[in-house]
Amino acid sequence: MTTSIPLPLTQFVVKMHSRCDLACDHCYVYEHADRSWSSRPKVLADGIMAKAAERIGEHAAAHRLPAVRVVLHGGEPLLAGPDRLRRAAEALRAALPPGCALDLRIHTNGVLLSRAFCTLFAELDLKVGISLDGDRAANDRHRRFADGRSSHPQVLRAVGLLNEPGFRHLFAGLLCTMDVENDPAVVYRALAELRPPAVDFLLPHATWDEPPKRPDALGATPYADWLLTVHGLWEADGRPFAVRIFESVHRTLRGFSSLTESLGLEPSDLAVLETDGSFEQADSLKTAYDGAPATGMNVFAHSLDDLARHPGIAARQSGLAGLSEACRACSVVRSCGGGLYAHRYRSDDGGGSFDHPSVYCGDLMTLINGLAGSGGSAAVPVQGGGPAADRPVLPGALTSAQLDELARGYGGADTVAALGRSQLALTRAMLAAAWDASGQGRPEAWALLSELDVEAPAAVDAVLAHPYARAWAARRLAGDLRFGLGPLAALAAAAAVRAGRGDAVPVPVRGGWLHLPTLGRIAVPDGEAVVTGRADGFEVRSVAGPVRTVLDEPLRRVRLAGGWTVALEDTDPLRDSHDHPVADRLPDAELLDWTGALREAWELLGRDLPGYAEGIRAGLSTVTPLRPGPAGRDVSSAARQAYGAVGIARPATAPTLALLLAHEFQHVKLGAVLDLTDLYDRGDTALYFAPWRPDPRPLEGLLQGTYAHLAVTEYWGTRTRAYDGLPGEAADRARAQFALWRRYTAEAVERLAGSGALTGAGLRFADGMRATVAPWLALSLPAAAEQTADRLRRDRAGV
């Protein structure tokens, strides 16, 4: 993508009121270095809000955004009053283009929250986040009125309102600013008792000039210790609510994107609108120095594209290259990301800069290493005992509850994460077996992988979690030796680049390209190249040609709503693991089309298939573009040895892409389940007819198709519900497809159950699928839909 196209901004903080009814002594707006609040209007004028909505709308249209998030903020935004808040919400919704959803939220201290406000927010579909630091003693340490009175009773009343059945859907969660002098167990229990859907535990804003307090009695890393205590309680309780800081560490350790700007290397996509109409960078910068968030831009004179190109915002979008030398050399940098940008500021380095590690550096390293240890990750085995057994023993086996959840067709974040851990372990075992079977001792690449797995495990995990990392091993174990040992060297080289320790790895080059899995590829003459991972990047030296330090074709990622990313893999030579031809490198125009289509499809999945979307978000890391099929035919595929990837030829519409993503990820999940659990007798050689195919297939083929079509049935079922009572061709097609696929899937479940080849676990799995289809079968459809389904069925059968 050309540099003239800025990374779009998708999250906006709108300051509705610049004053507050509390006097919290840890507030970054009023108590830290920046004093700009004192000269700004108290309330955001309607004219400024209207122009801001117009800017957001034109930005969303220009970048084909499927959704934007707007947080109404302050000061205390409820001070703006209900009428002004209503007008702001209405202006935002009216300005967004068709197909772009508005995720509208308000962040309040809760003191003024009333039943009338909640009724208004229910009408506006405006979700509410509440600031609360724990029990009364913890909260009163900082969050008081100016006269010293406690705000805790009012906040509990506000949370009680949001927990009422009529308002519970508005409750976005709690934000808790940590104080290490508060007992973490007491704070956790106080928050958990309120049944929040989510809790954000926030490090107090601090810089090297104004460091956080560190009581001597609490050790060198009190913030990490505090959070690890909370994490242990949260895990013991079965993760009763979402916690972004924990989930982000767990995700980044597996090579996925972070869910918060304070961790990971994901680019920031946030902007702030102040009450005077000026655009600012993230509010947290107010803790650095007076004027730190300023951009010199305003809503009337500048577009959001202008703002996205501002050097300050660009600095928070440059990933590893934007970090200090010490951070780039760190073993946990992919998870830490240098910490929150504001927390890196130091004024005594010749003018002041953010080119430093976080003031919480030690705490972040201890936290990340502690969570990595709690998750468990098998080391790369350096010696094997011959080819891998049919079913290696894998960590992260599914619980009965998780298997039942998957049997229903679904699978939440924790369940899919368990599948991911087992697949990573399987990749490690297969790589070890493939190398051991080669009989060539221990090459430099294998020895380095083993060493890095001890000293920089996150770097190894990120590379080995790439879907095509084990494709080489699978082929060698099947007797295909065409790729030689080059892919193993490439994996080691990519891990070395991520670790940044200065390790040099020789890599064979064929076809003029040196590929680094998870990173991209570089044009290099055939022969051998040496890849050296450095703290500030890498260098590639070959016998012929100059030293290379930049990827010619980097792996490109699409940022989707909710802060996660999907890779568009068009460089990996092993991506041809799918049973359809893969597309070549996407030109910029096609990349933009893919980006827009994926964003729209993800929005549709979240709306129409929420039970499937959570698992997709947790486990889908890669979309591999395929070549288009014959005219009018949609093409998609999942490869058994490529967990986390689906191959798709971009269809004509975003709804079709959403359907293909859901359908193929079902195959991905079931393949991982079958690696852990015997659902059928693997010695069964009989062939079985699937209702939707004219040719008989082995039992696993019928099982895979049935499982995938659970999602297809629900897709058409939700669209049928959306068209309830409406006429038109689209409505008629949805009803007919729903009638067809619910019948197909129900018949296939019964064929599986009656095959006599399912194990006890397989019969239980079939029961789960049956339970999911049953409610869809009970829905009444027009006779015309059933008749069209009959005709479609006869056409498929060639009758």
Side-chain angles (χ1 to χ4, degrees):
M1 189 182 297
T2 60
T3 56
S4 62
I5 302 173
L7 185 73
L9 303 172
T10 66
Q11 301 186 68
F12 305 93
V13 172
V14 175
K15 298 302 188 76
M16 298 301 302
H17 203 284
S18 66
R19 304 299 191 268
C20 189
D21 46 2
L22 292 183
C24 307
D25 61 17
H26 57 10
C27 180
Y28 58 83
V29 175
Y30 307 109
E31 302 296 333
H32 285 245
D34 186 80
R35 307 301 298 166
S36 58
W37 65 270
S38 60
S39 60
R40 289 199 166 106
K42 290 184 179 180
V43 183
L44 181 73
D46 288 348
I48 295 176
M49 183 68 248
K51 187 63 179 179
E54 178 187 328
R55 291 294 194 194
I56 293 172
E58 68 185 16
H59 192 68
H63 294 278
R64 298 171 62 180
L65 299 179
V68 296
R69 172 175 289 187
V70 178
V71 181
L72 306 182
H73 209 278
E76 171 48 53
L78 295 184
L79 290 172
D83 293 341
R84 195 174 297 273
L85 294 175
R86 174 189 291 277
R87 292 194 295 272
E90 291 173 345
L92 287 163
R93 292 196 191 281
L96 290 179
C100 182
L102 175 62
D103 179 0
L104 185 60
R105 300 173 180 240
I106 191 166
H107 182 144
T108 171
N109 59 36
V111 169
L112 295 178
L113 191 68
S114 63
R115 189 170 300 278
F117 268 125
C118 288
T119 301
L120 172 66
F121 296 158
E123 178 188 342
L124 299 175
D125 191 21
L126 196 162
K127 294 181 172 57
V128 185
I130 300 281
S131 294
L132 179 64
D133 289 350
D135 64 313
R136 179 162 185 158
N139 202 65
D140 285 354
R141 193 183 289 274
H142 301 288
R143 296 188 183 278
R144 291 177 172 270
F145 289 95
D147 60 6
R149 286 181 296 123
S150 170
S151 65
H152 193 253
Q154 291 93 325
V155 182
L156 289 189
R157 177 185 51 78
V159 174
L161 275 172
L162 291 173
N163 269 325
E164 290 185 7
F167 300 135
R168 174 69 185 183
H169 67 289
L170 303 176
F171 195 4
L174 301 173
L175 286 88
C176 171
T177 301
M178 297 165 47
D179 188 314
V180 291
E181 292 183 312
N182 291 329
D183 186 324
V186 173
V187 169
Y188 171 79
R189 293 298 180 204
L191 299 179
E193 287 172 3
L194 299 177
R195 299 185 299 111
V199 175
D200 269 358
F201 291 104
L202 308 176
L203 292 167
H205 287 314
T207 67
W208 289 101
D209 291 359
E210 298 289 339
K213 65 181 179 182
R214 296 185 179 278
D216 291 339
L218 296 181
T221 56
Y223 295 90
D225 299 339
W226 197 97
L227 283 168
L228 288 170
T229 298
V230 170
H231 182 265
L233 296 169
W234 180 67
E235 288 281 10
D237 286 350
R239 301 185 180 186
F241 43 79
V243 179
R244 277 200 305 175
I245 190 168
F246 299 153
E247 292 169 353
S248 291
V249 173
H250 288 309
R251 285 173 59 85
T252 54
L253 285 171
R254 300 188 343 257
F256 296 153
S257 56
S258 172
L259 304 176
T260 170
E261 69 167 334
S262 62
L263 291 169
L265 294 171
E266 292 297 306
S268 173
D269 59 358
L270 178 143
V272 178
L273 177 74
E274 289 286 355
T275 56
D276 60 358
S278 59
F279 283 133
E280 287 202 339
Q281 302 171 65
D283 257 9
S284 56
L285 286 172
K286 294 180 185 294
T287 199
Y289 58 88
D290 195 13
T295 65
M297 298 183 180
N298 67 76
V299 72
F300 293 103
H302 302 91
S303 70
L304 288 173
D305 273 13
D306 294 332
L307 183 62
R309 295 187 181 98
H310 184 274
I313 289 180
R316 293 183 293 120
Q317 297 179 338
S318 53
L320 192 64
L323 301 183
S324 69
E325 182 177 354
C327 287
R328 292 196 301 271
C330 180
S331 61
V332 301
V333 66
R334 298 281 167 179
S335 286
C336 170
L340 192 68
Y341 191 73
H343 296 172
R344 308 173 202 168
Y345 182 73
R346 190 167 198 148
S347 65
D348 60 356
D349 60 353
S353 78
F354 298 88
D355 188 28
H356 304 280
S358 168
V359 72
Y360 290 103
C361 177
D363 291 280
L364 291 173
M365 176 171 284
T366 299
L367 173 66
I368 291 165
N369 286 330
L371 296 189
S374 72
S377 182
V380 174
V382 292
Q383 292 181 340
D390 232 27
R391 181 69 54 80
V393 177
L394 302 177
L398 298 170
T399 65
S400 295
Q402 288 173 326
L403 188 61
D404 288 343
E405 182 185 4
L406 288 161
R408 294 291 301 266
Y410 307 115
D414 290 345
T415 298
V416 175
L419 291 179
R421 289 192 294 272
S422 70
Q423 288 290 294
L424 179 58
L426 179 57
T427 295
R428 291 166 173 268
M430 290 178 66
L431 286 170
W435 168 248
D436 192 61
S438 71
Q440 298 191 29
R442 287 185 58 194
E444 183 176 348
W446 188 248
L448 178 60
L449 270 177
S450 301
E451 180 183 336
L452 288 174
D453 201 46
V454 174
E455 298 190 17
V460 176
D461 276 356
V463 173
L464 298 191
H466 186 58
Y468 303 113
R470 79 165 178 246
W472 166 80
R475 295 183 191 193
R476 284 191 71 84
L477 291 172
D480 182 353
L481 307 180
R482 288 175 297 169
F483 280 86
L485 300 179
L488 182 62
L491 289 170
V497 170
R498 286 179 171 273
R501 303 188 315 165
D503 301 288
V505 187
V507 183
V509 179
R510 293 182 181 179
W513 289 103
L514 170 65
H515 176 252
L516 296 175
T518 74
L519 299 173
R521 63 183 184 179
I522 309 166
V524 177
D526 282 4
E528 184 176 89
V530 177
V531 179
T532 304
R534 306 178 314 201
D536 59 349
F538 65 89
E539 68 176 28
V540 176
R541 295 179 178 271
S542 58
V543 175
V547 175
R548 305 297 306 279
T549 59
V550 177
L551 294 164
D552 292 295
E553 293 185 353
L555 177 62
R556 297 177 292 196
R557 302 178 185 274
V558 177
R559 188 181 182 93
L560 303 175
W564 71 295
T565 58
V566 171
L568 272 173
E569 179 58 270
D570 55 5
T571 65
D572 196 311
L574 293 167
R575 72 189 188 280
D576 63 354
S577 300
H578 300 276
D579 56 5
H580 292 282
V582 296
D584 295 328
R585 177 72 168 179
L586 299 178
D588 282 354
E590 177 67 6
L591 175 63
L592 284 174
D593 287 341
W594 262 108
T595 298
L598 282 170
R599 287 172 174 163
E600 293 174 36
W602 174 240
E603 182 67 22
L604 289 169
L605 285 170
R607 184 193 70 190
D608 294 343
L609 294 176
Y612 293 88
E614 183 182 352
I616 292 172
R617 172 175 175 144
L620 179 65
S621 64
T622 302
V623 174
T624 296
L626 303 178
R627 292 181 187 173
R633 180 187 169 200
D634 292 317
V635 173
S636 62
S637 173
R640 182 65 179 274
Q641 300 299 346
Y643 178 82
V646 298
I648 295 177
R650 185 174 60 83
T653 68
T656 302
L657 179 57
L659 175 59
L660 295 177
L661 287 168
H663 175 275
E664 295 302 339
F665 195 69
Q666 290 293 95
H667 290 305
V668 172
K669 288 190 297 186
L670 184 56
V673 170
L674 292 172
D675 284 332
L676 287 169
T677 307
D678 281 320
L679 298 182
Y680 63 92
D681 177 4
R682 292 177 182 268
D684 180 64
T685 58
L687 298 178
Y688 301 84
F689 281 95
W692 51 86
R693 292 179 67 109
D695 55 323
R697 312 190 70 200
L699 188 69
E700 183 173 342
L702 176 60
L703 177 59
Q704 285 278 4
T706 307
Y707 193 68
H709 289 134
L710 290 177
V712 173
T713 301
E714 186 152 335
Y715 173 85
W716 288 115
T718 57
R719 297 190 78 77
T720 296
R721 282 178 172 171
Y723 288 124
D724 187 28
L726 298 177
E729 182 179 343
D732 290 343
R733 179 171 183 266
R735 294 177 188 121
Q737 290 292 324
F738 176 47
L740 178 69
W741 285 108
R742 69 177 182 176
R743 193 183 310 173
Y744 272 164
T745 308
E747 290 178 14
V749 170
E750 298 311 318
R751 194 162 297 173
L752 282 166
S755 68
L758 296 186
T759 63
L763 288 170
R764 184 170 173 173
F765 204 83
D767 286 342
M769 293 192 288
R770 184 185 290 115
T772 293
V773 177
W776 294 119
L777 293 172
L779 290 181
S780 178
L781 288 175
E786 298 287 7
Q787 291 165 3
T788 302
D790 287 338
R791 177 178 55 78
L792 291 171
R793 182 169 184 149
R794 290 193 299 271
D795 291 345
R796 283 177 178 268
V799 177

